Amino acid sequence: MNAQAITTEPAVSGTTDDGTGGPTSLWDATRSFRPALAVLCVLFVVLSLANADFRTVGNLENVAVSVSILWMIALGATFVQLTGGIDLSSGAVAALAGICLAKLLATTVPGPLVIALVILFGAAVGALANGILVGVLGLNVFVVTLASMTALTGIVSLWSDTQSVYVTSQTVTRLSSGRLLGAPVPVWLMLLTLAVFLFLQTRTYFGRDLYAVGGSPVAARLSGIRAPRTLVVVYALAGAMAALGGIIAVGRVGAAAPQPDNSLPLSAIAAVLLGGTALAGGAGGVGGTALGVLLIGVLQNGLSLSDVPTFWQQVVTGAVLVLAVLGDRGYAPRGLVARLCRHRPRVGSPA
């Protein structure tokens, strides 16, 4: 990829991927996440036929609410992955935001202001702990986010004194389990955040920069794109979304946990990959990630309704992640067989 291949306009609907500006259909725009959409539809039909309780309105609301935390973290992780990065610290950031929320609610600060401050706190943690080290100093993203996860986990334990901090706030309760216009508030938050991220991705210069940095950092720099600034903003957004997920988690449980759920980043990565975002960056988007999150939620809910033990649910989720990585590498079932046959030594030939 060279510098001339990067367009100077934001990526918007109605332009082709090659930057020619020609018309593109909605069907073409779904190319990256068609497999996730197809699997989700098939899984929904199968589970609906297998268990009548699955397709009830109450259960579908439970599915949506149960994935709301993962939804927030996965949206932020999508932007990180579009730039060719990975974020292993989002679970720790969510837990740290939960402790910060509990501490601030114990003061006289109004609840809505506390929520805003905690989200800003998460953005600052993401920018300082990950964005500057990766974007400005150029350190390895895997090492940086792994170190951040470890350090922030220790900070969570120190700040909470390894004790759960209970929260009694009507604002947080309404945010995590209230209802608005007949639907759970977390569902409205999911739709709102998806709309915001879709706008940033498709209608802004920042969205163009995401794909450029992920596709070729060198070409992006030659085109005048400030990659360090873009990466700092990306990790700040990921931290803010992790903090929002942490707020919802605290509201659902009624307490801030002293230990982070470090499986959340892995589940978010699985959802992003299932949604068609390339592991190396430069291709994909949040629309596919939303389908990936729903696919994981529907799968886990269906297994729970079928009385499948929790440990087997973890096994199935891990297998889904492996399949997602295989799909990202282009190893479709037929293609995998072809590759194996192509590399099998012939009889009588040296191995």
Side-chain angles (χ1 to χ4, degrees):
M1 182 177 181
N2 51 38
Q4 286 76 14
I6 300 177
T7 61
T8 57
E9 296 296 331
V12 294
S13 303
T15 60
T16 58
D17 293 337
D18 58 7
T20 58
T24 181
S25 65
L26 182 61
W27 176 249
D28 291 335
T30 64
R31 181 177 303 166
S32 62
F33 56 82
R34 286 176 199 166
L37 180 60
V39 173
L40 179 60
C41 292
V42 171
L43 187 62
F44 186 88
V45 172
V46 170
L47 292 176
S48 297
L49 295 176
N51 194 325
D53 293 333
F54 172 79
R55 60 178 182 268
T56 61
V57 175
N59 184 65
L60 294 180
E61 284 187 355
N62 289 335
V63 172
V65 172
S66 66
V67 299
S68 58
I69 300 171
L70 178 59
W71 180 285
M72 304 304 169
I73 293 178
L75 289 182
T78 304
F79 277 12
V80 171
Q81 198 158 305
L82 282 175
T83 61
I86 189 173
D87 187 5
L88 300 176
S89 65
S90 54
V93 174
L96 186 62
I99 299 297
C100 179
L101 175 73
K103 297 294 185 180
L104 287 177
L105 287 174
T107 65
T108 58
V109 181
L113 180 57
V114 167
I115 291 175
L117 290 174
V118 171
I119 294 175
L120 290 176
F121 172 74
V125 171
L128 295 174
N130 297 324
I132 292 179
L133 296 180
V134 174
V136 178
L137 300 182
L139 301 183
N140 181 273
V141 62
F142 180 83
V143 175
V144 168
T145 58
L146 180 61
S148 299
M149 178 189 73
T150 305
L152 293 176
T153 298
I155 294 174
V156 168
S157 298
L158 290 172
W159 199 2
S160 64
D161 198 23
T162 65
Q163 301 292 325
S164 296
V165 184
Y166 294 95
V167 172
T168 55
S169 169
Q170 293 184 355
T171 302
V172 176
T173 302
R174 285 195 296 267
L175 188 69
S176 60
S177 57
R179 299 185 71 85
L180 178 66
L181 300 178
V185 173
V187 174
W188 291 111
L189 286 176
M190 291 164 65
L191 294 176
L192 176 62
T193 51
L194 177 61
V196 171
F197 271 71
L198 278 174
F199 177 81
L200 291 175
Q201 174 187 299
T202 61
R203 298 291 180 179
T204 66
Y205 287 99
F206 172 71
R208 174 210 62 178
D209 294 348
L210 293 177
Y211 290 96
V213 172
S216 174
V218 175
R221 185 175 66 253
L222 294 176
S223 299
I225 295 174
R226 298 179 181 177
R229 182 183 64 180
T230 300
L231 290 173
V232 170
V233 174
V234 163
Y235 284 97
L237 283 173
M241 295 303 290
L244 180 56
I247 293 171
I248 296 175
V250 170
R252 289 174 58 183
V253 178
Q259 288 293 330
D261 182 2
N262 287 324
S263 68
L264 274 175
L266 302 181
S267 298
I269 294 171
V272 174
L273 290 175
L274 285 171
T277 298
L279 188 60
V286 293
T289 296
L291 290 176
V293 171
L294 292 177
L295 178 57
I296 292 176
V298 167
L299 178 62
Q300 292 178 342
N301 180 264
L303 293 174
S304 297
L305 290 178
S306 301
D307 295 327
V308 175
T310 303
F311 298 118
W312 279 109
Q313 294 181 33
Q314 296 172 345
V315 171
V316 172
T317 304
V320 167
L321 176 58
V322 173
L323 292 176
V325 175
L326 288 175
D328 176 74
R329 294 287 300 274
Y331 287 92
R334 183 180 301 177
L336 178 59
V337 174
R339 289 171 186 265
L340 292 175
C341 293
R342 187 185 310 131
H343 291 91
R344 185 178 61 187
R346 296 181 179 179
V347 177
S349 62

